[in-house]
Amino acid sequence: MSSESSKKRKPKVIRSDGAPAEGKRNRSDTEQEGKYYSEEAEVDLRDPGRDYELYKYTCQELQRLMAEIQDLKSRGGKDAAVEIEDRRIQSCVHFMTLKKLNRLAHIRLKKGRDQTHEAKQKVDAYHLQLQNLLYEVMHLQKEITKCLEFKSKHEEIDLVSLEEFYKEAPPDISKAEVTMGDPHQQTLARLDWELEQRKRLAEKYRECLSNKEKILKEIEVKKEYLSSLQPRLNSIMQASLPVQEYLFMPFDQAHKQYETARHLPPPLYVLFVQTTAYGQACAHMKSSQPPRQDKTLSVAIEGSVDEAKALFKPPEDSQDDESDSDAEEEQTTKRRRPTLGVQLDDKRKEMLKRHPLSVMLDLKCKDDSVLHLTFYYLMNLNIMTVKAKVTTATELITPISAGDLLSPDSVLSCLYPGDHGKKTPNPANQYQFDKVGILTLRDYVLDLGHPYLWVQKLGGLHFPKEQPQHTVIADHSLSASHMETTMKLLKTRVQSRLALHKQFASLEHGIVPVTSDCQYLFPAKVVSRLVKWVTIAHEDYTELHFTKDIVEAGLAGDTNLYYMALVERGTESDACSSPSSGKGCHSQDVKYRTLLPLCSPCTHLGGIESCDSSQLSWHLIGQGFLLEPPQCWLWCCHPAPALAAKLQAAVVLNPGYSSIPPIFQLCLNWKGEKTNNNDDNIRAMESEVNVCYKELCGPQPSHQLLTNQLQRLCVLLDVYLETESHDDSVEGPKEFPQEKMCLRLFRGPSRMKPFKYNHPQGFFSHR
């Protein structure tokens, strides 16, 4: 019975498959294909689209048959084996169809590759022909260029134009009837005319020399008159000193400064002139009165003028005196030659010798703070250095973490990106250092000053690295082009450092100062608090395991400032319910209560002085302790024991703050250690602080950026802890009750938390 039923069902199944007529060939077709059959020929006749539809249909049928076989096996039964065998046969037929479709697909792929290869060969042949033609064209162009570039000696002479030649030259030289048609004769005629003109100019030059001698004699006469006029002018200037002081126009003092400036070396002279001009221009823009010096910018020259004059005096001829003195000393005492070390020290001192004169620049800011800059010139190295000092109107209490902010060694570091002032900008100095045993200029910057690149540009010095020059000349235009930008950067640097100085004083006491202009950026209640703010060394920062990304990215340079912030939140602040509820201590975070007499001191509350129960109502003392006095007893509520969540933030503060934002790297210690490597939400918190920093800049010049980032960090920790899912298997209340309003607690497979604060509505959402 089973064999008969299978024979009856077989054609029905094949008919119900809906497969194309490929499986239902006639006997005549089979006989013809038996004689000669080629699948490659069949590929050209078949439609790939229909084959694809057949493939999908066959796969669907296989899925259906497999599901039916699985169903029959699970149900069992007497006739199940027959039906399973029937569906297995149908599945084999479909597998045969898939194999054939696979062969056809491979044949199509091979044909496509062959066609592509043939096309590529044709393209290569055409490309080779094109290269041959281009080579021939290039060869011909070179030959043509050689012919065109051939020059004769007469071509180096700049002759007059043809129109001017025929217009001015006499007929006996121009010979228009001959030269117009013969270029050679025309060139000869033009050369004759050039010779005639030069003879005339030589005669005129001799006449001018005689006139020059006459003018020089007249100048000598006028010089004698002016020399007699100088004493009279000096007496007039001396008499006008009281008037100058009364009108605040110190022309005499300025004149003395300019007289002293004559003895400055060229770079310092350029700096003095351009800085004075910039100060006068700023004062003229603020007032319509005659040009005066800007009150916020003062320039002065310090040093010994006599020593500067002595540098340019030739050495006196005293060889005879020296020989006599040497002979006497040899007779009296024997000289000891200096050792090699002493000689090298003397050579180093001579090479690092500064010019006796220096330029003092005082830049006054809006808050009456003054940046004192002293510019020096190293004569043998041909570079300029600067020393900086910041003074304020009121004495500042320097926090521990703000020790390097106003340090003379780092206050001007990286004023321009990459300009740390630790090495010489003059490439030629390295060869000079090798001769005297100086490894680097870094060891001498504290005494000599920092050779910043912007200092060289203010002095008009430019040292190109591509084309080293033997002598660099001070350029006024280079100094003028960088003066205004540099002065603005200097003022901005001082203001930003002073703002950081004040902020660090609050941060060390655990207070994050947020101005009224930035209050809208944060929710009204922030539970997490800053408990620690300290400075760390660059080596300590690089050794932290959660800062490797910043170190590997090259963002942690030795010129940056590094700090460590600790933001903490514990559950004891939420231990008791609000006293406004009037129902006693019913907070879910309270695990147990203790009944104490009201008159006895409670160690948790710091002691009770009075026991007047009629006046004693709800009180909140400390953090998380509520009192409910029934007659003369009270319940002392202890907070639920729980570990505080501690968020460490390693901060990289670029010297260009606040134009360059600080970089935060986070590590959360709560239920294990969480960093951006093992927690996507920590990475999202870092993105909120580092990437979305423009939302926290506040009003210009964005001096509140750092404190706003720290406050945002406290808010992010609150959101992270309050949105953490509660484990239902653990009895007790939620460790951190949700106080922030969130539209959606989690999103995506990584369960990202809503860290974006929408300040007008007061809720948190995802970005």
Side-chain angles (χ1 to χ4, degrees):
M1 291 294 292
S2 61
S3 61
E4 292 177 0
S5 61
S6 63
K7 291 178 181 178
K8 292 178 182 179
R9 290 177 182 172
K10 193 170 185 178
K12 292 181 182 179
V13 173
I14 295 174
R15 226 179 272 119
S16 63
D17 286 345
E22 178 196 25
K24 306 174 183 178
R25 295 189 180 91
N26 297 328
R27 184 176 299 176
S28 60
D29 297 338
T30 307
E31 292 175 357
Q32 292 177 1
E33 291 182 359
K35 296 177 181 179
Y36 176 74
Y37 173 73
S38 174
E39 285 188 344
E40 295 183 357
E42 186 179 358
V43 167
D44 298 333
L45 301 176
R46 296 176 66 96
D47 184 14
R50 297 185 62 186
D51 287 349
Y52 177 65
E53 294 295 333
L54 176 60
Y55 167 75
K56 292 198 298 183
Y57 170 76
T58 306
C59 292
Q60 291 175 359
E61 287 299 315
L62 281 173
Q63 291 177 357
R64 181 181 62 80
L65 290 172
M66 294 301 173
E68 291 178 358
I69 291 172
Q70 177 68 22
D71 187 26
L72 290 172
K73 286 184 177 182
S74 62
R75 283 187 297 175
K78 297 179 180 180
D79 299 333
V82 178
E83 294 180 1
I84 289 172
E85 181 66 20
D86 187 13
R87 284 161 176 74
R88 185 186 66 79
I89 295 172
Q90 295 179 29
S91 301
C92 292
V93 173
H94 288 304
F95 273 116
M96 296 297 295
T97 304
L98 288 178
K99 286 185 177 181
K100 181 173 182 179
L101 292 175
N102 185 38
R103 291 195 302 274
L104 294 177
H106 280 287
I107 293 171
R108 287 193 183 97
L109 178 62
K110 182 177 180 302
K111 286 187 175 182
R113 288 177 177 174
D114 294 341
Q115 293 175 359
T116 304
H117 183 67
E118 292 176 1
K120 287 175 65 177
Q121 287 181 342
K122 291 181 180 180
V123 171
D124 292 340
Y126 291 145
H127 185 265
L128 182 60
Q129 294 177 5
L130 176 62
Q131 293 296 327
N132 293 334
L133 293 175
L134 289 176
Y135 179 77
E136 292 180 5
V137 170
M138 183 177 65
H139 177 70
L140 294 175
Q141 286 178 348
K142 287 182 179 179
E143 294 298 326
I144 294 171
T145 304
K146 288 181 181 179
C147 296
L148 294 176
E149 289 180 351
F150 176 76
K151 291 184 179 181
S152 179
K153 287 292 183 180
H154 74 277
E155 293 181 0
E156 298 177 0
I157 303 174
D158 189 11
L159 301 176
V160 297
S161 62
L162 289 174
E163 296 179 358
E164 187 178 354
F165 169 68
Y166 285 112
K167 183 178 179 181
E168 297 181 357
D172 58 336
I173 295 178
S174 61
K175 299 177 183 180
E177 65 278 359
V178 179
T179 58
M180 290 291 285
D182 190 354
H184 178 65
Q185 293 295 331
Q186 187 183 64
T187 303
L188 293 176
R190 293 175 68 187
L191 290 172
D192 292 340
W193 176 239
E194 182 70 21
L195 178 61
E196 184 68 23
Q197 280 185 320
R198 292 192 178 189
K199 289 180 179 179
R200 294 178 184 178
L201 291 174
E203 184 65 27
K204 190 175 181 180
Y205 171 71
R206 286 191 290 270
E207 293 177 0
C208 291
L209 284 178
S210 61
N211 293 333
K212 179 182 177 182
E213 292 178 357
K214 294 179 182 179
I215 294 172
L216 287 175
K217 291 179 181 179
E218 294 177 0
I219 291 175
E220 290 295 332
V221 174
K222 292 181 179 180
K223 279 185 176 180
E224 292 178 1
Y225 173 75
L226 292 176
S227 60
S228 63
L229 186 63
Q230 183 66 31
R232 299 179 184 178
L233 293 177
N234 291 335
S235 61
I236 294 173
M237 291 294 294
Q238 192 68 25
S240 64
L241 288 178
V243 180
Q244 295 179 25
E245 295 178 358
Y246 180 76
L247 297 178
F248 299 102
M249 301 174 69
F251 293 113
D252 187 63
Q253 182 180 359
H255 178 71
K256 291 180 180 179
Q257 286 284 331
Y258 281 111
E259 285 293 328
T260 308
R262 293 173 54 190
H263 304 286
L264 287 172
L268 290 181
Y269 180 77
V270 171
L271 173 66
F272 175 78
V273 172
Q274 294 299 329
T275 309
T276 305
Y278 177 74
Q280 292 177 356
C282 294
H284 182 66
M285 292 174 62
K286 297 176 183 178
S287 175
S288 59
Q289 296 180 1
R292 303 179 182 178
Q293 188 67 25
D294 189 9
K295 294 182 179 180
T296 62
L297 179 65
S298 61
V299 189
I301 301 175
E302 289 190 352
S304 175
V305 180
D306 296 334
E307 293 182 8
K309 291 180 180 179
L311 293 175
F312 298 97
K313 288 183 179 181
E316 298 179 356
D317 297 334
S318 58
Q319 296 180 357
D320 298 337
D321 298 338
E322 290 180 358
S323 60
D324 295 340
S325 61
D326 291 342
E328 292 177 359
E329 290 179 359
E330 287 179 0
Q331 293 176 359
T332 55
T333 59
K334 292 184 179 180
R335 289 188 175 181
R336 181 177 297 176
R337 291 186 178 182
T339 61
L340 183 60
V342 175
Q343 291 178 356
L344 283 177
D345 290 340
D346 295 340
K347 290 181 179 179
R348 289 173 189 151
K349 292 179 181 179
E350 182 65 24
M351 181 167 291
L352 302 176
K353 187 177 180 181
R354 297 188 301 204
H355 195 273
L357 297 179
S358 60
V359 177
M360 288 285 297
L361 178 64
D362 293 341
L363 192 62
K364 189 176 182 180
C365 300
K366 293 182 179 179
D367 55 354
D368 293 336
S369 58
V370 182
L371 174 63
H372 305 279
L373 300 175
T374 306
F375 295 89
Y376 302 98
Y377 177 67
L378 305 184
M379 298 179 291
N380 295 320
L381 300 181
N382 193 25
I383 59 174
M384 292 175 58
T385 60
V386 65
K387 286 187 177 182
K389 181 182 178 183
V390 179
T391 58
T392 56
T394 59
E395 185 177 358
L396 295 177
I397 300 176
T398 305
I400 299 175
S401 59
D404 295 335
L405 289 178
L406 300 179
S407 171
D409 188 39
S410 62
V411 66
L412 299 181
S413 178
C414 295
L415 189 66
Y416 287 89
D419 189 7
H420 50 76
K422 297 295 185 181
K423 66 178 192 177
T424 174
N426 190 354
N429 293 157
Q430 191 59 44
Y431 302 100
Q432 296 174 292
F433 291 162
D434 294 340
K435 293 181 180 179
V436 297
I438 297 178
L439 298 178
T440 178
L441 194 64
R442 182 189 296 264
D443 302 330
Y444 302 92
V445 292
L446 293 178
D447 297 330
L448 302 177
H450 292 76
Y452 297 112
L453 290 177
W454 58 268
V455 175
Q456 317 306 319
K457 292 179 180 179
L458 289 185
L461 297 177
H462 177 57
F463 303 97
K465 297 181 180 179
E466 294 80 7
Q467 300 177 353
Q469 301 177 357
H470 296 289
T471 56
V472 178
I473 302 175
D475 186 9
H476 282 269
S477 60
L478 178 64
S479 176
S481 62
H482 289 80
M483 181 63 65
E484 184 176 4
T485 304
T486 304
M487 291 302 161
K488 290 181 180 179
L489 288 175
L490 288 172
K491 287 185 179 180
T492 304
R493 173 62 62 86
V494 174
Q495 292 173 357
S496 64
R497 290 298 175 93
L498 290 175
L500 286 174
H501 195 279
K502 296 178 182 178
Q503 293 169 10
F504 284 4
S506 300
L507 295 178
E508 287 188 357
H509 291 83
I511 301 173
V512 181
V514 180
T515 60
S516 58
D517 298 332
C518 302
Q519 288 288 350
Y520 70 94
L521 297 172
F522 312 103
K525 183 178 180 181
V526 181
V527 183
S528 299
R529 65 190 185 279
L530 179 70
V531 298
K532 185 179 180 182
W533 175 264
V534 294
T535 180
I536 60 176
H538 175 243
E539 294 78 10
D540 297 337
Y541 180 88
T542 55
E543 292 176 358
L544 295 174
H545 64 279
F546 58 93
T547 60
K548 292 182 179 179
D549 297 339
I550 299 298
V551 176
E552 293 174 356
L555 300 177
D558 55 356
T559 58
N560 298 330
L561 302 176
Y562 299 91
Y563 300 93
M564 178 66 72
L566 180 62
V567 180
E568 182 177 336
R569 176 174 177 178
T571 58
E572 61 272 7
S573 59
D574 302 324
C576 297
S577 63
S578 173
S580 60
S581 62
K583 295 181 181 180
C585 185
H586 299 290
S587 173
Q588 295 179 351
D589 291 335
V590 177
K591 294 296 184 182
Y592 58 91
R593 298 184 294 176
T594 305
L595 188 63
L596 297 175
L598 187 61
C599 297
S600 64
C602 178
T603 58
H604 296 280
L605 300 178
I608 302 295
E609 296 180 357
S610 174
C611 59
D612 188 359
S613 60
S614 62
Q615 296 180 358
L616 184 60
S617 59
W618 285 88
H619 294 281
L620 177 63
I621 303 177
Q623 292 185 349
F625 303 104
L626 292 176
L627 302 182
E628 183 181 12
Q631 296 177 358
C632 61
W633 296 85
L634 62 90
W635 290 101
C636 178
C637 305
H638 301 275
L643 295 176
K646 297 181 180 181
L647 179 64
Q648 288 181 306
V651 185
V652 180
L653 190 65
N654 192 281
Y657 175 86
S658 58
S659 59
I660 301 176
I663 302 176
F664 285 72
Q665 285 292 104
L666 306 180
C667 177
L668 177 62
N669 294 310
W670 181 65
K671 295 182 179 179
E673 189 175 77
K674 302 176 182 179
T675 63
N676 56 7
N677 294 324
N678 56 16
D679 194 335
D680 292 336
N681 285 299
I682 297 296
R683 186 182 296 109
M685 292 169 65
E686 292 178 352
S687 176
E688 285 289 329
V689 180
N690 295 329
V691 180
C692 305
Y693 70 92
K694 292 184 179 179
E695 302 175 0
L696 307 172
C697 288
Q700 293 297 329
S702 306
H703 290 158
Q704 296 294 325
L705 176 59
L706 177 63
T707 54
N708 288 345
Q709 286 177 308
L710 290 171
Q711 185 71 359
R712 171 66 66 87
L713 207 58
C714 296
V715 175
L716 295 177
L717 181 58
D718 284 348
V719 175
Y720 184 95
L721 297 176
E722 293 176 8
T723 56
E724 190 71 14
S725 58
H726 181 60
D727 190 1
D728 297 334
S729 62
V730 179
E731 295 184 1
K734 189 176 180 180
E735 189 172 0
F736 296 100
Q738 183 176 348
E739 298 179 356
K740 308 293 187 296
M741 184 172 62
C742 304
L743 294 182
R744 186 179 177 185
L745 294 181
F746 304 103
R747 186 180 70 180
S750 58
R751 299 180 66 80
M752 301 301 293
K753 300 184 179 184
F755 291 122
K756 180 183 178 182
Y757 178 65
N758 300 272
H759 59 84
Q761 297 83 12
F763 62 86
F764 289 83
S765 63
H766 294 85
R767 288 195 179 272

